[in-house]
Amino acid sequence: MARVLVVGAGIVGLATADRLSQDGHDVTVIEKEPGVARHQTGRNSGVIHSGIYYKPGSMKAEMAKAGAKSMAQFAQENGVSYEITGKLIIATEDSQRVQLAAINSRAAENGVPSEILTPEQAREHEPYVSCVEAVHVKTTGIINYTGVCEALARRITDRGGEIAYNESVVSAQNSGTNLSVETSSRTREVDFLINCAGLQSDLVAKACGVEPEVRIVPFRGEYFELTEPREYLVKGLIYPVPDPRFPFLGVHLTKMISGGVHAGPNAVFAFAREGYKFWDISVKDSLKAAAWPGLWALGAKHIPAASKEVVRSFSRTLFAKDVAKLVPGITAKDLVPSAAGVRAQAINRKGGLVDDFFLQHAPRQIHVLNAPSPAATAALEIGAKIASEVQSQLT
Ligand SMILES: Cc1cc2nc3c(=O)[nH]c(=O)nc-3n(C[C@H](O)[C@H](O)[C@H](O)COP(=O)(O)OP(=O)(O)OC[C@H]3O[C@@H](n4cnc5c(N)ncnc54)[C@H](O)[C@@H]3O)c2cc1C
């Protein structure tokens, strides 16, 4: 059995470490923060996605569909709160019907049960929505992903694995027979390294001597919460028809498993990888991003949409206006700011947004370089895939 070092105690790193420790490997997780789920995993919408949107045959489609089941089962078995609420995707204008029909067909191709509803039928699920047509998906749910991470961490340490907090991976050298990993506090000799560093994953790959084929671009997602007296307006999950040019699902209304209703997230380019406020700017991160030709190509393609997102980021009234397209009557005074998240989205050299999950392999190393939504839903499947790849490299 091998000594495996996993970088990052987000849900992907912990799910991978959990599977590797089940397979009998000697596992160590290195996390730079003082606890689990401090970045993307602990700052997301908390949705168990069903797998309807993604390209048939892609890892996202297959792993989200399987993940929707396995994540709910994991929560059930490990005492983590979750609920299968179902979700509505609503067309608010006639022009969106074609795309709504395409989403419904894609759901069928992906084997996810869904149905088209009239406005009256949609209001049986969500009495306050306004729409011309809707798609209902039964298998979508909500969950406490931080709770999932805590349960995974317990399972790993119960099996004798180590989780080292407040320690960051700085570099790795392959001697041919093993890897020598320098961290902020010591040198660790291991057989294999798995990089699940999310927003830092391309930088960690570079630090381990691997030239990443893609770069991470951080997109902040800002949220508001509905004030308590207005929470009755949302029973479960209400999503718009997404803009097909982007990998994001659009500002939606989400009942949270801990209570309350979130509105968001938008998608604003972040000037720092862990920049949770507009004015969080890292010169180092911005210069690194600017050095990648793909960023300029991406910017040139999406300037109008990006500018709209920035303007909306500063205006609660504009944000509320978009939310009111889903549930009329919601105004700026019904929204209070909530914690933001930052998505790690990989782009290629030509400025294309990498659509599917992306793993880059090197001798004794696997680097997870694109694990955006629905990777929280799919984390147990991603972990299983990585564990089987480690196994085949070792034999
Ligand atoms: C706003 C938002 C909403 C989303 N909504 C959903 C949703 O509803 N459903 C869904 O399925 N997905 C959703 N996602 C996506 C999902 O949250 C991510 O795909 C998932 O959390 C990725 O997990 P991760 O472990 O790869 O990354 P992270 O959770 O970011 O974990 C990476 C970890 O690596 C650590 N790290 C980084 N560098 C180092 C280093 N050098 N040494 C040691 N540790 C290091 C970090 O501190 C961090 O803890 C959303 C994401 C965002 C941001």
Side-chain angles (χ1 to χ4, degrees), residues 245-246 298-311:
R245 291 169 303 162
F246 302 109
L298 178 77
K301 257 188 268 174
H302 296 301
I303 278 176
S307 321
K308 190 181 153 224
E309 286 289 312
V310 171
V311 172

Side-chain angles (χ1 to χ4, degrees), residues 11-32:
I11 198 164
V12 175
L14 290 168
T16 304
D18 178 54
R19 178 52 82 102
L20 287 162
S21 71
Q22 271 180 62
D23 292 350
H25 296 294
D26 175 4
V27 174
T28 304
V29 180
I30 305 289
E31 169 55 56
K32 69 181 171 64

